[in-house]
Amino acid sequence: MKAIFVVLTALAASVFASPVISERQLETQADEIDKLTAVVLQHTANINKTTAAAPENPNLAEQNAAAAALAPDFQGITDALTAATTILTKRALGLDKTPRGACGSDCLLVKVKFLIYEIACTLKFVIVKLGLACVLVYLTPLILALSGLLKCLDKVVAGLLFAVKGILSSVLGAVAGGLLGLII
């Protein structure tokens, strides 16, 4: 009887604590997303500049040369996404005790949508200009790292994957199916 009372008390305490824990998780995520966005913006600017310099209707050698020039920036985005996922996972588990500013679910959702939109628009530009075949080897790890970040954040912001699917579908159109296949 006492064991049942203890179990029910613990269950009730966890139900009441869940909203508090969720709010703390949201507050700890915003700074890291802002840092990640700054790094991604730097790399996407480099990618856009390099891609814009590529000739219109490039031949296979020009596509491969442009893709090789883009590789460090794609790797930079991938590394930043992986590092942010590691940090955000630690914060979600409560291992990082650094205090953060207030950012609710809507605030975090807007920040993540902007990050995804920036990456998706850059990918669309590269794919349209150079083709998918020459950059696929660089995009696969990037998409997988992005998938890890989204799965980490989906635990904190419910419905994040549905919002991202909508963004990718509208921005990338026909290419979104293939890229979503890599994410999901």
Side-chain angles (χ1 to χ4, degrees):
M1 184 72 152
K2 289 181 184 180
I4 293 174
F5 178 73
V6 170
V7 169
L8 289 176
T9 305
L11 181 62
S14 69
V15 167
F16 291 123
S18 292
V20 174
I21 291 171
S22 179
E23 287 301 315
R24 287 183 190 151
Q25 287 175 342
L26 290 174
E27 291 173 4
T28 63
Q29 310 301 324
D31 264 357
E32 194 59 37
I33 295 298
D34 289 339
K35 291 176 191 173
L36 176 62
T37 300
V39 171
V40 167
L41 285 171
Q42 179 184 17
H43 286 294
T44 56
N46 292 341
I47 290 170
N48 290 335
K49 187 171 111 178
T50 304
T51 304
E56 291 295 323
N57 300 319
N59 60 32
L60 186 59
E62 292 169 333
Q63 288 176 343
N64 290 334
L70 296 173
D73 287 309
F74 282 132
Q75 187 60 46
I77 293 173
T78 302
D79 293 343
L81 289 169
T82 303
T85 302
T86 302
I87 291 170
L88 292 172
T89 301
K90 288 180 181 177
R91 288 184 183 168
L93 294 174
L95 300 176
D96 183 7
K97 302 296 184 187
T98 309
R100 304 280 183 246
C103 182
S105 177
D106 294 336
C107 168
L108 190 60
L109 186 61
V110 168
K111 290 175 186 269
V112 173
K113 280 184 174 181
F114 176 75
L115 177 70
I116 299 301
Y117 189 76
E118 177 67 26
I119 293 172
C121 287
T122 300
L123 295 182
K124 180 180 180 182
F125 180 55
V126 170
I127 291 169
V128 166
K129 182 93 178 208
L130 300 176
L132 182 61
C134 65
V135 293
L136 186 61
V137 69
Y138 307 115
L139 295 185
T140 302
L142 189 148
I143 297 297
L144 292 175
L146 184 59
S147 172
L149 177 71
L150 294 175
K151 286 179 183 177
C152 169
L153 291 174
D154 191 52
K155 296 174 186 172
V156 179
V157 180
L160 181 64
L161 291 178
F162 291 115
V164 169
K165 181 181 177 190
I167 292 171
L168 288 178
S169 294
S170 65
V171 173
L172 296 176
V175 180
L179 293 177
L180 281 174
L182 292 173
I183 289 176
I184 299 171

